[in-house]
Every structure is written in structure tokens, then in C-alpha cells.
Amino acid sequence: MTETIEFQAEARQLLQLMIHSIYSDKDVFLRELISNASDALDKLRMESYRDKDLGVDTSDLHVELRTDAEARTLTITDNGIGMTRDDVVSLIGTIAKSGTAETLSKLREAQASGSEEVTAELIGQFGIGFYSSFMVADRVEMTTRRAGTEGGVHWESAGEGTYELSEVPDAPQGTSITVHLKSEDAEDNLHDYSDPAVVRRIVKRYSDFITWPILLNPRGASAATGEGTDGGTTVEGAEEDDAEAAESSNEPINSRKALWARPRSEVSDEEYAEFYRHVSHDWQEPLETMRFTGEGTFEYQALLFLPSHAPMDLYYRDAKRGVQLYVKRVFVMEDCEALVPEYLRFVKGVVDAQDLSLNVSREILQQDRQIQLIRKRLVKRVLQTITTLRGENAEKYDTFWAECGRALKEGLLTDQDNTQAILEASSFASTHDPEKLTTLADYVARMPEGQESIYYVTGESRSSVENSPHIEAFRAKGYEVLLLTDQVDEVWVGMVGAYGTGDDAKPFASIAQGDVDLADDAEKPEGFDDLLSWMTTTLADQVSEVRLSTRLTTSPACLVGEVGGLPPQLEQMMRSMGQEIPVQKRALELNPKHPLVENLRAAHEAHPEDAGVTETASLLHDMAVLAEGGELKEPSAFVGKLAQRLAATL
């Protein structure tokens, strides 16, 4: 006897809204049905352990996919736990019971406001995965029988006003869903799901690591139904041509090789390398493989990789980033940005979680506590791996740092919780060694007694900063200076403030900022007050003050910024980006032991009104600008004045 049950009017509208508004990719209907079948197989195995009298055979649990191009059907069959009539009504028919006007109103409000989080919370009540099949189907049939019971039930609906229920006395154990497919429509991204090649592609993308074997058009009798097969297969003993043989196989079409779920001892380096190429679209082997498991209130497994060379799009603004996200081995998201911060965008791999707060289509990951905790742990483990790599395999670490170090340092701008961990994982060029990089820990260990700060200088290249006038006295006094040449260095070093915590913290100090006193009292010259006062007035439009320097040994002059001020390179970069930056005057420091400065003092004392003295003072400032790699406002004027002064000496 067939029983027809009518949906409520609100439920009908709700079903249509969900079918047409929730999923952006119609292919996911097959992922949902396979996922449901996998869950049914899991439940049967667990139930057989718990109930020894259940009397079921669990030796050949699997999922079958059968295509029939002529009838335009796709059938998904499992020999799992199955359902009783009451299960069908309460699970598959939940939408009818929950379709109230109030719920529909809330869902519409959420859709109108664009609140994906609220929408996901409402839709999640209905188990809509099964109903996603109506995106591609004119009609859906389901036959099911629960393990350990006699007689099954047949469910059928066109997804509109009603669904029909009838008894099936000889139904096999498990569930079989037949999707009567709509016509192919390329404009609507509606593919031909009766084509085995299309089915293979979807399974490979979404369900490749499902634990249970997925068979496509298996030859011979169906293990789930016990009947001869149809829909793309042949009866036993019949001859098949090559095309039919390619579409029919008793071998699983899913690899079932979830490397992250297998013991490390059972996975070869070649398998890891091949999997890395698969998830990263790289052609080389990974530099380092990271495996770890999260246990406790929530569980997850992660298999991540460090690349051996920087991805081509590492510094592209719109480049995709993130790791692949699976939930119970079911593919959910290709590039899950929520799990990996932007500065670790070079990390590739997979995270497989047991339970996450997902919306019904599994396409939008909710920003909940579990996601934040997983992200926190992933970041911590990646940074630990990089730091450990430096100590255990310097060659690998040097390769990583040369390729991705600049991106990692971006985290110093955005991830305050891991600032010290990023500093520990980082390396820097310094005056200690012309070739090898140094860690901050090693720098601090080499600091002489009395040095309280970590000295650094920024610039465009190592050669330019090594020849900077600012570094002369520091080198002469034996103070090590970090040579920071990446654009990101200009920003983070001012934001971070110090390396270490508590009483052991060592502040960063720019050798190009502030009034540094590196001279002994006996070395401080006298008799320059009039020159300094005159030059401060004469160059008032260009400098904040003119003073004597203790940081210069061979150069005549240099420009020094205020502590905490913008470095000239950063100022120039911000202006090139169209930002309005107020003009920042810096101090001009003179080397009192340089012949040019000594002669300028003498000339000013003898002829304070001489235009040539004023011209020399201006040239001295322009030389300081050029020495630090800056740009003159009027290069032609500088060349003219220099030519005149050179001519006067001949």
C-alpha cells in the first residue's frame, strides 16, 4: 500500500529555497549522498560490535554508483545500517515536520541580510544533504531496510508538494537512492551525471579518501541488492567492448589512501611527495613533511608540507592560500584560509577534522572556537618545525629561509601572539659574518658587556647598508649590527620593540635614529658651536638640527632620524603608494675629525658671509642624502654647485 504525505505549504517553500539558494556547486549533491552512505556503513560496523545478535555480514561493506545513460539515472547504493519506516519519516521527512512559517521567515531574513552564519545555523536543522539531489533531479526514489529488521520501505518524491511511502517486503539491507536526472544544462552548470567520467571526476575531488570502497558500475551481481546489474553493465558471461569495460569495474574508484590517517611507518617518502604534488600543484618534492594529531575535546589530523621553493604567486595580492579541509575524510574546501594565517600561505596540505561547525552545504566554514583552536595549534607546530629545522638541518633551513623567509616575517606585523616564536624561527644578515645569517639568540649571546640594545640598520641591499655612514663607528667599536634589507623589515622592527620577554628582553635600536653617544669624553671636540648654530639656521628648511656625531669615522656627514620616526625608505614607499606623509626633517650629524668639516669650520670663522661657505654647507647635506641611498629634490642644482666647487680647487 502506498501512502501519500503532503508537505505543509511553508515546508514546500522552504525546500525550494534551500535547493536553489544554498549550494553554489551542483556537483556536491553526489558528495552528500556518498557521505551519507559512508556514515551508514560506519554505523552498521559500530552496531555490529555493540549488538552481537544483529546477524549482519560486515566483510564486504561498500558504496556502489550505477549510471544509466539511456534512462538518465544515477543510483547510489550502500549495504549499511539502513532505515525503518519511522526513521525515514523522522530523518528524511524532518523537513515536513519543521516547515513552520516562523522558521521560513527566519531563513528568509537571514538570506536577505547575507548572514551566512545565521543561515547555516537554521539550515543545519534539516539534514539537507539528501535533498541536495533535487538540484539535479526531476524525481528521487529511495529503497531502504534497516539491518536486523524484516521488510523495507520505498520513498519517492519530486521535491514539490508530496512524497510517497510504501512497503517493500523483499528490500535488501541498506539504502539505495535513484536520482532521475534533469537534462544537461551547461549554462546552469548542470552536468551529465549519468556519464561515468563525470562521476569519477566528482568522486576523485570530493570523496577520494572515504574509508569504504566506492565502486562504479561493478560487473556481476550487486552485493547490496543481490540482483543482476543494469545501467551501464552487462549480465554475467556477456562480452564487453573496450568502452564498456572502461566504465565497469569491481575495483574502487577512490584511492582510500588518507595518508594522514595511516601510521607514518606505513607511508613512504615517495607517497608523501606524490601527495604533496597533488595538493600543491608543485612539480618538486616538499622540503619538509609535518604530521600531527589533535586530541581532547575535539579531534583532527593534519598533514602539512613546507615547499622547497617559493610558490610563483607567493606575493600576489589575489593568490589563493590555505590548506585543504576534510571532515571525516570527506572533502569540504580547497583553500581553507581560516586555518592558516596569510604569512604562512606557503604551507600546503590537509586538515581532517572529526566535528566542525559547518553550514549544510559544507562550503562556508564557521569561525567558531574549534576552528580558532585548530588554527592556533597549526601555527604553533609550523613555527616549531621551522625552528627545529634550523638546528637539525641547516641546509634545508637555509633553503626555506631564502625562498619563504620574507613572507614569514610578515607575521611580525599581524600575529602578536606568536611574535617571539616567529623571531626565534627567523634569521638575519649581520656585520658578524659576511655570508652566514645569524639568529637573534646568537646575536644576544655575542653582545659585549654594557650593550643593552640590538642594533640594526635598514636599506635596499646588503652592500648599501654595509657602506652606510651610520655603521662606521659601530663597526670600529666592535658592535654587531643587523642588516635588514626586506621592505617588511622597515615596518616590523619598529612595531615589535624587543626580542625576548621580561627582564631578558633586548630592545631593537636603529643606528640611523636618535642621538647615539659612542665616543669617550676625552674624544669629544670643542669649538664647533658657532658652525653648528649657523648651519642649523642656514639649512632650517631641510634639517631639524646640525650636531656633531660619534657614529662617523670616515664619512663627513650623515642624516639621523628621530627615535620612532619613519625611516626614509618607508617614507618614500608610502608616498609612492599615494599616501600623504608630512615632511619629516632629520638631524644632520657632522664628523668633526673629517678634513672637510674641519676646513668648513675654519672657513666659516674666517669668512662667515662668504657665499662659498654656504654652498659647501648645502653640498655637505646633499652628500649625506646620497650616502644613505636617498634622492635629491634638485639633482641638477647639486651637480652645478659641485662643479663650481671643483673648478675653484683647480
Side-chain angles (χ1 to χ4, degrees):
M1 182 181 72
T2 300
E3 180 182 4
T4 300
I5 301 177
E6 184 175 351
F7 287 125
Q8 296 176 4
E10 294 85 358
R12 230 172 13 246
Q13 298 173 45
L14 187 59
L15 175 59
Q16 293 301 312
L17 183 61
M18 286 187 286
I19 291 173
H20 298 296
S21 302
I22 302 307
Y23 291 92
S24 59
D25 184 356
K26 292 179 173 58
D27 290 354
V28 299
F29 89 93
L30 184 54
R31 178 191 69 184
E32 296 293 333
L33 296 182
I34 292 176
S35 180
N36 289 345
S38 177
D39 289 343
L41 296 172
D42 289 335
K43 290 176 181 178
L44 178 65
R45 184 172 61 177
M46 294 302 298
E47 188 68 17
S48 67
Y49 291 153
R50 190 179 66 176
D51 184 0
K52 300 300 182 181
D53 298 326
L54 190 60
V56 295
D57 182 8
T58 59
S59 62
D60 186 27
L61 300 181
H62 62 275
V63 180
E64 293 183 8
L65 307 178
R66 297 185 175 277
T67 60
D68 188 333
E70 184 176 349
R72 290 203 53 75
T73 61
L74 172 63
T75 301
I76 300 90
T77 302
D78 68 77
N79 52 350
I81 191 67
M83 292 180 284
T84 64
R85 183 187 184 284
D86 290 341
D87 291 335
V88 172
V89 173
S90 62
L91 297 176
I92 304 301
T94 298
I95 188 169
K97 296 165 61 177
S98 304
T100 64
E102 180 182 0
T103 303
L104 179 59
S105 175
K106 289 181 180 179
L107 180 57
R108 282 176 170 165
E109 290 175 5
Q111 290 275 345
S113 67
S115 174
E116 296 170 339
E117 187 170 344
V118 175
T119 304
E121 181 180 350
L122 290 171
I123 296 170
Q125 303 172 31
F126 302 104
I128 193 60
F130 171 79
Y131 282 97
S132 65
S133 57
F134 285 104
M135 291 189 301
V136 302
D138 292 321
R139 182 165 53 92
V140 176
E141 294 184 71
M142 179 182 67
T143 300
T144 183
R145 177 174 69 84
R146 185 174 179 85
T149 66
E150 295 184 0
V153 62
H154 180 83
W155 183 99
E156 183 173 349
S157 177
E160 296 177 350
T162 62
Y163 63 90
E164 296 180 350
L165 287 177
S166 59
E167 296 181 358
V168 183
D170 56 348
Q173 172 196 306
T175 301
S176 180
I177 299 172
T178 298
V179 181
H180 295 264
L181 298 165
K182 296 178 181 178
S183 299
E184 184 178 1
D185 186 347
E187 293 184 0
D188 193 31
N189 292 320
L190 188 62
H191 304 122
D192 183 5
Y193 300 105
S194 66
D195 182 350
V198 173
V199 173
R200 282 179 180 271
R201 173 181 60 80
I202 297 173
V203 171
K204 191 67 177 177
R205 180 182 182 190
Y206 289 110
S207 307
D208 196 44
F209 303 119
I210 289 289
T211 306
W212 308 106
I214 301 174
L215 310 179
L216 176 59
N217 295 327
R219 294 190 290 269
S222 167
T225 63
E227 300 174 353
T229 62
D230 56 9
T233 63
T234 60
V235 295
E236 199 169 344
E239 294 184 356
E240 299 174 319
D241 59 25
D242 292 340
E244 288 177 314
E247 296 176 359
S248 306
S249 174
N250 288 329
E251 293 297 322
I253 60 172
N254 58 322
S255 71
R256 304 169 62 197
K257 292 183 179 180
L259 300 187
W260 58 87
R262 294 164 56 188
R264 185 157 196 155
S265 59
E266 297 181 4
V267 184
S268 66
D269 291 340
E270 290 74 17
E271 287 179 297
Y272 279 133
E274 184 60 32
F275 184 75
Y276 166 74
R277 296 186 187 99
H278 170 69
V279 298
S280 67
H281 308 294
D282 193 1
W283 65 91
Q284 297 188 20
E285 293 187 359
L287 185 71
E288 187 69 8
T289 300
M290 299 170 282
R291 279 191 56 162
F292 38 91
T293 300
E295 299 177 346
T297 55
F298 59 94
E299 298 179 1
Y300 68 91
Q301 294 172 309
L303 176 58
L304 305 180
F305 302 93
L306 293 179
S308 56
H309 67 97
M312 295 180 61
D313 59 355
L314 184 62
Y315 298 105
Y316 289 2
R317 180 182 297 272
D318 299 326
K320 291 183 178 181
R321 63 180 176 85
V323 297
Q324 291 186 358
L325 175 64
Y326 283 73
V327 175
K328 296 180 180 179
R329 299 195 186 182
V330 177
F331 177 78
V332 173
M333 189 177 296
E334 179 70 30
D335 302 295
C336 184
E337 297 182 358
L339 288 171
V340 179
E342 188 171 4
Y343 70 91
L344 294 181
R345 57 188 176 274
F346 49 80
V347 174
K348 300 298 180 183
V350 166
V351 173
D352 186 1
Q354 294 301 305
D355 184 22
L356 285 178
S357 177
L358 303 172
N359 80 340
V360 63
S361 66
R362 308 185 187 186
E363 291 175 334
I364 302 171
L365 196 60
Q366 302 304 312
Q367 298 296 316
D368 62 6
R369 179 175 174 273
Q370 291 188 6
I371 288 298
Q372 295 304 318
L373 287 175
I374 293 177
R375 174 190 173 113
K376 184 177 181 180
R377 293 181 183 180
L378 293 183
V379 171
K380 182 178 180 180
R381 290 297 298 270
V382 170
L383 294 178
Q384 286 178 344
T385 298
I386 295 172
T387 303
T388 302
L389 194 65
R390 184 181 58 213
E392 297 181 352
N393 194 322
E395 184 177 353
K396 276 190 175 183
Y397 174 83
D398 291 343
T399 298
F400 163 78
W401 190 254
E403 296 291 332
C404 303
R406 181 155 59 101
L408 181 68
K409 287 190 290 185
E410 293 175 12
L412 296 170
L413 308 178
T414 59
D415 191 354
Q416 296 182 358
D417 293 338
N418 290 294
T419 295
Q420 295 303 317
I422 297 173
L423 289 176
E424 290 288 354
S426 301
S427 294
F428 307 92
S430 83
T431 54
H432 175 71
D433 192 296
E435 296 181 358
K436 294 183 179 180
L437 303 180
T438 184
T439 67
L440 293 179
D442 290 341
Y443 178 102
V444 171
R446 291 190 294 265
M447 287 171 57
E449 185 178 353
Q451 181 180 344
E452 299 296 332
S453 302
I454 298 175
Y455 295 122
Y456 72 90
V457 62
T458 60
E460 293 184 354
S461 65
R462 176 162 186 152
S463 60
S464 66
V465 295
E466 280 185 320
N467 295 318
S468 169
H470 301 96
I471 210 170
E472 294 172 357
F474 288 87
R475 182 182 283 114
K477 295 285 184 179
Y479 290 132
E480 183 177 353
V481 180
L482 298 181
L483 310 175
L484 308 180
T485 57
D486 291 328
Q487 285 187 344
V488 67
D489 294 331
E490 299 278 6
V491 186
W492 74 257
V493 74
M495 294 177 58
V496 170
Y499 165 67
T501 57
D503 296 337
D504 296 330
K506 300 295 182 182
F508 291 101
S510 171
I511 64 172
Q513 292 182 340
D515 189 2
V516 177
D517 188 1
L518 297 179
D520 299 329
D521 292 339
E523 297 177 350
K524 293 183 178 179
E526 297 179 353
F528 282 84
D529 291 347
D530 289 344
L531 175 66
L532 298 178
S533 178
W534 172 76
M535 289 187 66
T536 298
T537 302
T538 302
L539 302 175
D541 291 340
Q542 297 160 291
V543 301
S544 59
E545 68 170 316
V546 180
R547 64 195 183 209
L548 295 183
S549 175
T550 62
R551 73 184 87 215
L552 296 173
T553 57
T554 58
S555 298
C558 69
L559 289 167
V560 179
E562 297 298 324
V563 176
L566 284 178
Q569 293 85 0
L570 181 58
E571 185 179 343
Q572 182 179 352
M573 181 175 65
M574 295 176 71
R575 283 204 176 96
S576 67
M577 296 169 61
Q579 298 188 35
E580 295 293 335
I581 304 297
V583 176
Q584 298 190 72
K585 295 181 181 179
R586 291 181 292 158
L588 178 65
E589 290 192 352
L590 305 181
N591 179 3
K593 296 181 179 180
H594 195 280
L596 177 58
V597 176
E598 291 179 342
N599 292 339
L600 179 61
R601 181 187 65 168
H604 176 260
E605 288 179 352
H607 309 285
E609 303 299 329
D610 189 343
V613 176
T614 303
E615 194 173 75
T616 300
S618 177
L619 282 172
L620 198 59
H621 168 266
D622 292 347
M623 290 165 60
V625 173
L626 293 175
E628 68 176 11
E631 296 181 359
L632 298 176
K633 292 183 178 180
E634 298 180 5
S636 59
F638 169 78
V639 172
K641 288 184 288 186
L642 181 61
Q644 290 179 7
R645 302 310 299 168
L646 290 174
T649 62
L650 299 176

